[in-house]
Amino acid sequence: MSKQVTEMLKGTLEGIVLAILSGRPAYGYEITAWLRDQGFSDIAEGTIYALLVRIEKRGFVDVEKVPSEKGPPRKVYSLNAQGREYLDEFWRTWSFLTERLEQLREGGG
């Protein structure tokens, strides 16, 4: 992954993870695996876990501990109402930015 992609991803990864959780609850490894399947191959699992802790502290997700066959219980994250509001705002901001960037690319300022 290029340095530019990495830098741009820093500003959007939180919204991407919230968008994943808007589809269904998931635990950290599932989210990391999904991102890697989508081409974000350089994302470290630790990055996702740190992000999940952060969005949990901000109150955007509910967490349920679910028994695991392979070790300690897994923390399964699901998007709550506050997280949905934040995600809606993220998409509005995303649309605003992409529209403006597209205008710039097409030669208008």
Side-chain angles (χ1 to χ4, degrees):
M1 195 176 322
S2 77
K3 182 175 172 85
Q4 189 175 39
V5 169
T6 300
E7 290 300 316
M8 292 177 87
L9 198 53
K10 284 181 184 175
T12 56
L13 191 55
E14 188 173 276
I16 292 169
V17 169
L18 291 175
I20 292 168
L21 293 175
S22 74
R24 67 179 181 88
Y27 53 93
Y29 180 77
E30 281 181 307
I31 294 168
T32 304
W34 187 89
L35 288 167
R36 288 178 177 161
D37 286 346
Q38 299 302 311
F40 300 107
S41 56
D42 291 345
I43 290 181
E45 203 169 328
T47 300
I48 298 303
Y49 284 109
L51 188 149
L52 288 169
V53 168
R54 193 168 57 245
I55 63 174
E56 180 183 358
K57 285 182 179 176
R58 294 177 73 186
F60 296 159
V61 291
D62 294 326
V63 181
E64 179 182 3
K65 287 192 175 182
V66 176
S68 170
E69 298 170 1
K70 298 180 179 179
R74 291 181 171 147
K75 290 177 84 173
V76 176
Y77 298 84
S78 58
L79 197 63
N80 61 26
Q82 188 175 340
R84 288 193 189 286
E85 284 180 30
Y86 184 83
L87 181 60
D88 289 345
E89 179 63 29
F90 171 83
W91 286 128
R92 281 191 293 275
T93 303
W94 179 260
S95 294
F96 173 82
L97 290 173
T98 56
E99 287 170 14
R100 298 316 175 276
L101 288 169
E102 193 62 35
Q103 287 174 355
L104 284 171
R105 186 167 74 169
E106 292 173 0

